[in-house]
Amino acid sequence: MPGKLGQPTGALRGRGPAERPFFVRRAALVMLRDICQLSGMGKTALLYALLLAGAATLLGWIEYHHLVRTISTEFYILVIAMGFAGLGLWVGHRLTARSRGPFEINHAAITALGLTARECEVLEQLAGGHSNKEIARALDISPNTVKTHVARLYDKLEVQRRTQAIDKARRLSLIR
């Protein structure tokens, strides 16, 4: 039958208060012996657990409410803003593509697609965002010839729009 709350049960029943501390001390020594026999991983886990317990104790000791009252709200806002700015810089650095060195045109892809030198020039102008008339003036050809070159580019690159042609040409390293 279990004892009342605070009353000894099991092996401690029938022992007086003077005998209990020895029993408790003996259990602590047994636990300490078991801890000393832990493997490297167990000791590491125990060390981290003790560090975590120490950190939790330290946080309680600092008294959070005291800090909130003594440090102004603007300081907390500044710390949070700086944290998010740092996080944004780190994420941006991790997600942006690294420079691969100088750009080299993929001549094998140009040959495989059957692009002419003039079509490559027109493709460069398309990537520059120029209209057909602007391309015609820059290359000293008629606007109808530009339309013909653009139509051939669409067929060879297997696309339907200028933006698709520019995107595919960049992926194939035909243009910068």
Side-chain angles (χ1 to χ4, degrees):
M1 175 187 261
K4 294 183 184 175
L5 189 60
Q7 301 245 336
T9 59
L12 290 179
R13 185 178 299 154
R15 294 182 185 249
E19 295 176 12
R20 271 189 232 128
F22 171 76
F23 184 81
V24 171
R25 277 185 276 157
R26 173 86 173 124
L29 289 174
V30 169
M31 283 178 33
L32 187 60
R33 185 194 70 211
D34 292 343
I35 289 171
C36 291
Q37 292 176 353
L38 285 175
S39 65
M41 183 75 136
K43 287 181 182 179
T44 303
L46 181 66
L47 176 67
Y48 282 121
L50 289 174
L51 286 174
L52 184 61
T57 303
L58 180 65
L59 284 176
W61 183 73
I62 289 175
E63 295 183 16
Y64 176 75
H65 294 290
H66 177 68
L67 282 177
V68 170
R69 290 184 196 137
T70 58
I71 298 175
S72 67
T73 306
E74 289 82 13
F75 177 75
Y76 289 113
I77 292 171
L78 176 69
V79 168
I80 291 170
M82 289 175 61
F84 276 109
L87 179 66
L89 288 171
W90 179 78
V91 168
H93 177 71
R94 297 285 292 172
L95 294 179
T96 54
R98 303 281 190 268
S99 176
R100 295 185 186 114
F103 176 75
E104 293 184 23
I105 293 177
N106 187 353
H107 294 289
I110 291 174
T111 305
L113 291 171
L115 297 177
T116 64
R118 186 58 97 176
E119 289 171 341
C120 289
E121 291 174 354
V122 170
L123 191 56
E124 286 281 344
Q125 294 290 320
L126 283 176
H130 301 289
S131 67
N132 285 354
K133 288 183 181 180
E134 291 171 333
I135 295 171
R137 274 190 237 120
L139 299 179
D140 199 30
I141 55 178
S142 74
N144 287 333
T145 306
V146 173
K147 287 179 188 176
T148 303
H149 286 305
V150 170
R152 285 188 190 149
L153 279 170
Y154 288 175
D155 288 339
K156 291 179 181 180
L157 293 173
E158 298 174 351
V159 295
Q160 287 81 33
R161 293 183 200 79
R162 287 179 181 233
T163 55
Q164 292 173 340
I166 294 166
D167 182 52
K168 189 163 186 178
R170 284 196 175 126
R171 280 188 282 125
L172 295 172
S173 297
L174 304 177
I175 58 174
R176 292 176 201 240

